[in-house]
Amino acid sequence: MPPAPPALSSSSSLQDCSSYALTVAPHIPQLQSYIPNFLQAVSSSNPGSPTLAQFYTSTNPLVTSFAFSLAISPIFLVVSEINKNYSQVDRCWSLLPVVHALHYAVWAHLSDGVPTARVDLVASVVACWSARLTFNYWRRGGYQKGSEDYRWVEVQRMFGQPLFFMFNVVFIATAQSVLLFLITTPIYVLLLSSRITGDIVTTSDLVFAGLMLLSIATSATADQQQWNYQETKKRYLSNPSSVPNPGYTPTQLRLGFNTHGLWSISRHPNFAAEQSHWLLLYQWSCYATYVYYSWAGVGALGYLILFQASTWLTERMTRAKYGEAYADYQKRVSRFVPKPTAVWVRPVGEEWEKAWWERNESEKEGKGKGKGQGGKKKQ
């Protein structure tokens, strides 16, 4: 094994590569002096002073990644407060993890004695994840001027000002940026382990990469199914006499929410696959270093917690919109992981949709009659 570059700690075993005390704690002082050293590298013209490239390679890559996540947080805060639009991090959500992943790959290529095959593989997989999510966000209008996640409006109403401003400072602008750094920290562990295993891609590496690609494909399939349904519903409701696309009946479109394909066995199949993607990356780092758990799982854990909270809010708003039909859908279909029986016995289907549509229509008719009778009594 070649000697460790100055920016990395020496690891004598694969287990050491997952040790916070050995691979993270020794480099924390670099974070404290990061800004003055960075400014010196940028502004100094002295021949003996380190160049920006030398500063980059001599700084621990985890420290640089973390410093970047902190540096962009004030930008998110200022832009969101000026525009009163709190989806600034949302616009970068699919981009920042691949920036962190590519940073580790670039750092490895620029540094002496650091194998690159494994980190290149991980960066390529994360790039595929980024391409899928960026495309879906774009076609839903996420990058249009003034576009904002509808849930932030509800959160503002729940918190009120000035509490929401503090929420923006702590969570929206800062914590989310740091979280997108944390979910990529297993790449740092994999980078360290490559110094011991060598510049090779193992069979287990290919298996984990394949599973992560499968999670991306699952998310893409769920996104496309949702897109097809929502676009068809939009056309149908604007012109009920139009013929819906194959696979949808008027009853299914009037229901309002998708219960077909993966959505018939999971209420949020895209969210489930999204969380599994980063869990797999974390498990990859554990498997590669022969440990059951490590500090690098903080990001994956935080991601799970975030999705639990955001999904709760999403479903609260969806249930308010679609009423008892969605409440029954919640009872029948799992939030993320499908029930084992859902594979051969679908919890919802055409008969279920028809029954709820007829029930909703009868309730509307009953309310209409009640209002009519009330009006007659007043006369």
Side-chain angles (χ1 to χ4, degrees):
M1 182 177 65
L8 297 180
S9 303
S10 297
S11 301
S12 58
S13 68
L14 287 171
Q15 288 87 345
D16 288 348
C17 298
S18 289
S19 170
Y20 178 88
L22 295 177
T23 64
V24 179
H27 304 289
I28 292 178
Q30 283 190 329
L31 183 64
Q32 299 169 347
S33 59
Y34 189 89
I35 293 179
N37 290 342
F38 172 77
L39 294 176
Q40 181 183 4
V42 171
S43 60
S44 179
S45 57
N46 297 329
S49 300
T51 64
L52 189 59
Q54 290 172 332
F55 166 76
Y56 179 69
T57 55
S58 63
T59 303
N60 181 271
L62 187 72
V63 170
T64 298
S65 192
F66 182 48
F68 174 73
S69 71
L70 293 178
I72 60 178
S73 295
I75 300 175
F76 291 138
L77 176 63
V78 172
V79 174
S80 66
E81 288 297 331
I82 290 176
N83 296 313
K84 296 304 176 183
N85 185 314
Y86 301 95
S87 279
Q88 307 308 318
V89 178
D90 298 338
R91 290 184 172 87
C92 298
W93 193 272
S94 63
L95 304 174
L96 289 177
V98 76
V99 170
H100 290 293
L102 290 175
H103 150 66
Y104 288 115
V106 170
W107 187 91
H109 279 276
L110 294 178
S111 302
D112 296 329
V114 180
T116 60
R118 177 179 280 168
V119 73
D120 285 345
L121 176 62
V122 181
S124 299
V125 174
V126 175
C128 292
W129 169 88
S130 175
R132 192 278 306 174
L133 191 56
T134 301
F135 168 73
N136 194 58
Y137 190 73
W138 165 79
R139 70 173 173 178
R140 293 174 57 194
Y143 294 113
Q144 292 180 0
K145 185 178 180 180
S147 173
E148 184 181 32
D149 190 326
Y150 66 93
R151 290 171 294 188
W152 290 132
V153 177
E154 177 66 13
V155 174
Q156 289 182 71
R157 188 193 66 78
M158 293 168 60
F159 279 95
Q161 295 289 356
L163 191 58
F164 183 76
F165 172 75
M166 295 304 301
F167 181 75
N168 187 20
V169 173
V170 176
F171 177 75
I172 301 177
T174 305
Q176 287 193 122
S177 179
V178 173
L179 177 62
L180 294 175
F181 148 74
L182 287 172
I183 60 175
T184 62
T185 54
I187 304 177
Y188 174 68
V189 177
L190 290 170
L191 184 153
L192 295 175
S193 67
S194 295
R195 296 191 57 257
I196 296 177
T197 59
D199 200 13
I200 60 172
V201 173
T202 65
T203 301
S204 62
D205 292 335
L206 294 175
V207 170
F208 276 104
L211 290 173
M212 290 177 70
L213 290 173
L214 179 61
S215 72
I216 296 171
T218 303
S219 294
T221 300
D223 287 341
Q224 190 61 45
Q225 290 175 349
Q226 182 75 319
W227 175 264
N228 291 343
Y229 176 82
Q230 294 297 338
E231 289 298 298
T232 305
K233 183 185 75 172
K234 191 186 304 180
R235 290 194 302 269
Y236 175 76
L237 295 180
S238 63
N239 183 16
S241 61
S242 64
V243 179
N245 287 351
Y248 300 112
T249 65
T251 300
Q252 293 162 354
L253 297 174
R254 289 171 188 150
L255 187 65
F257 54 93
N258 190 15
T259 60
H260 288 260
L262 295 175
W263 301 83
S264 68
I265 59 176
S266 171
R267 302 200 303 269
H268 304 280
N270 51 348
F271 290 178
E274 171 77 6
Q275 294 170 84
S276 68
H277 180 86
W278 299 108
L279 278 174
L280 283 166
L281 178 60
Y282 165 59
Q283 287 301 314
W284 187 352
S285 70
C286 290
Y287 186 88
T289 54
Y290 299 155
V291 296
Y292 291 108
Y293 57 90
S294 75
W295 64 270
V298 172
L301 178 61
Y303 214 69
L304 293 179
I305 295 173
L306 175 64
F307 267 79
Q308 289 292 332
S310 64
T311 303
W312 170 82
L313 179 60
T314 301
E315 293 203 325
R316 176 184 172 184
M317 299 174 71
T318 305
R319 180 168 178 172
K321 183 177 182 179
Y322 296 112
E324 291 302 315
Y326 192 80
D328 192 48
Y329 174 64
Q330 288 178 300
K331 293 177 183 177
R332 292 170 175 267
V333 180
S334 300
R335 175 179 287 184
F336 297 127
V337 181
K339 299 175 183 178
T341 56
V343 177
W344 60 85
V345 180
R346 292 301 171 96
V348 293
E350 187 173 343
E351 291 299 320
W352 178 85
E353 293 160 344
K354 184 179 179 181
W356 268 107
W357 171 248
E358 291 175 349
R359 175 175 172 176
N360 289 340
E361 286 298 294
S362 63
E363 288 179 354
K364 289 180 182 177
E365 185 178 345
K367 289 179 180 179
K369 290 181 178 179
K371 289 181 179 179
Q373 292 173 355
K376 289 180 181 179
K377 289 180 180 179
K378 288 179 181 180
Q379 291 178 353

